[in-house]
Amino acid sequence: MKAIRFDRYGGPEVLQYTDVPDPEPGPGDVLIAVHAASVAPGDWKVRAGHLQQIFPQTFPTTPGRDGAGTVLALGPGANGVGVSVGDEVCFITAHTENGSYAELVARPAAEVVRRPANVSFTEAAAAVHAGVCAWIPLLETTTVVAGQHVLVHGGSGGVGGMAVQIARHLGAEVAATCRAANADYVRSLGAGTVIPYDEGDFAAELNDYDIVLDLVGGDIHRRSYAVLKPGGSLVWLIAQPIQDLGAEHGVNVLRADIHDATYVLQAVADLVATGAVRPQVGRTLPLAQAAEAQRLLQAGEHSRGRIVLEVR
């Protein structure tokens, strides 16, 4: 099969489109023909070596955290778990194993879910890991309820766009930050208030918020404390370094622990299937151009939805 591989940390040029042996489905696995795989910011950070203390790589390896495709074969013992040859599914892989930038992937049958019938493979891939990274902070790390005020930083990105939609679906009043060029797009996702960070200061315009979801870190994190009401929650994902000032400001600072439990993947798929959230595909590229996809993300030249690699 064709796959993207890299055998050392470095720039996008270390990603090679090459032939590798087809994976064999092990006990309880399914073999999936991958039709689409999304490109996440974490992919280039792993490739560059920025996250090697958290996600150490065994080289050579294939990047990619998620995808959508068709089940081609069942491994021993995979019968009886509700997955059959020909099923169209979504899946997640880990940063520490061979990922989804490949024509074929073997995954545990119990860890795949059916592709929502109302979206394409490309759209499904855009929703999978981005949706998980939005669902967990809003429904596990903290719990968004109707009537709360929620601020999402980076509302036009893959995770941010899903978070805006999920928070709005839960009945929250949603504000978001983004570039001015993306303001109307973020409003279309359900944000009632949009603060363009290249034109205004969110900390001067917002106050008494219940929850801030920080997908950026650094100075954005520091300035977010002023937005929260006493006892509010500042939830963050791995981004730029942060300094926990929760005790000083009387708020909760919570790191979202992103995991790959199948029930979360299913919850995201259900939200997509009911139309509660819309997958956001910002751009598509063929698998062979994975290096260009990661370059765009690393350079900050892509800020709307997910880049999706179309595989086969």
Side-chain angles (χ1 to χ4, degrees):
M1 69 171 182
K2 290 291 188 181
I4 301 296
R5 302 284 273 178
F6 66 111
D7 58 8
R8 64 192 185 281
Y9 296 118
E13 69 278 358
V14 303
L15 298 176
Q16 300 296 314
Y17 180 62
T18 188
D19 292 305
V20 299
D22 292 355
E24 293 288 338
D29 288 347
V30 293
L31 182 66
I32 301 168
V34 181
H35 301 317
S38 82
V39 182
D43 295 350
W44 76 257
K45 294 174 184 179
V46 168
R47 182 217 72 228
H50 297 335
L51 302 179
Q52 57 186 293
Q53 299 301 318
I54 305 170
F55 304 119
Q57 302 298 293
T58 300
F59 296 121
T61 190
T62 296
R65 288 284 276 136
D66 62 8
T70 302
V71 175
L72 291 184
L74 306 180
N79 291 313
V81 295
V83 182
S84 302
V85 172
D87 285 349
E88 298 174 349
V89 298
C90 301
F91 64 89
I92 285 179
T93 64
H95 274 311
T96 52
E97 62 188 1
N98 284 325
S100 57
Y101 293 17
E103 291 182 331
L104 298 171
V105 167
R107 299 302 303 151
E111 296 178 13
V112 304
V113 303
R114 296 292 181 91
R115 175 179 68 90
N118 59 328
V119 297
S120 67
F121 286 106
T122 299
E123 291 168 321
V128 177
H129 189 248
V132 167
C133 289
W135 194 95
I136 289 172
L138 298 177
L139 285 150
E140 287 193 354
T141 311
T142 187
T143 304
V144 173
V145 297
Q148 286 185 322
H149 287 74
V150 176
L151 169 62
V152 177
H153 286 306
S156 66
V159 176
M162 294 295 280
V164 167
Q165 294 182 80
I166 292 172
R168 189 71 190 92
H169 171 68
L170 294 171
E173 297 294 328
V174 183
T177 60
C178 64
R179 292 178 182 172
N182 291 326
D184 288 343
Y185 167 72
V186 174
R187 289 188 187 97
S188 76
L189 299 179
T193 301
V194 177
I195 310 294
Y197 60 72
D198 48 352
E199 292 184 352
D201 179 4
F202 70 89
E205 298 188 41
L206 306 176
N207 58 75
D208 287 333
Y209 269 65
D210 298 283
I211 296 167
V212 174
L213 176 57
D214 174 22
L215 305 173
V216 180
D219 183 60
I220 295 296
H221 182 93
R222 181 185 59 78
R223 293 192 290 122
S224 292
Y225 288 96
V227 172
L228 288 162
K229 63 174 57 174
S233 295
L234 178 46
V235 183
W236 62 283
L237 274 68
I238 297 172
Q240 297 179 41
I242 70 140
Q243 180 182 5
D244 186 337
L245 302 176
E248 178 181 335
H249 291 271
V251 302
N252 304 301
V253 180
L254 308 169
R255 175 182 167 182
D257 180 16
I258 304 302
H259 56 79
D260 299 332
T262 309
Y263 72 87
V264 180
L265 180 57
Q266 185 64 64
V268 171
D270 290 344
L271 288 173
V272 172
T274 62
V277 301
R278 306 191 314 271
Q280 302 301 305
V281 179
R283 184 169 182 171
T284 61
L285 290 169
L287 177 63
Q289 293 184 29
E292 172 64 5
Q294 288 200 10
R295 186 200 66 78
L296 290 168
L297 283 180
Q298 186 170 356
E301 297 177 22
H302 176 85
S303 62
R304 185 177 292 191
R306 275 286 203 246
I307 298 177
V308 179
L309 302 174
E310 295 184 328
V311 182
R312 59 186 296 172

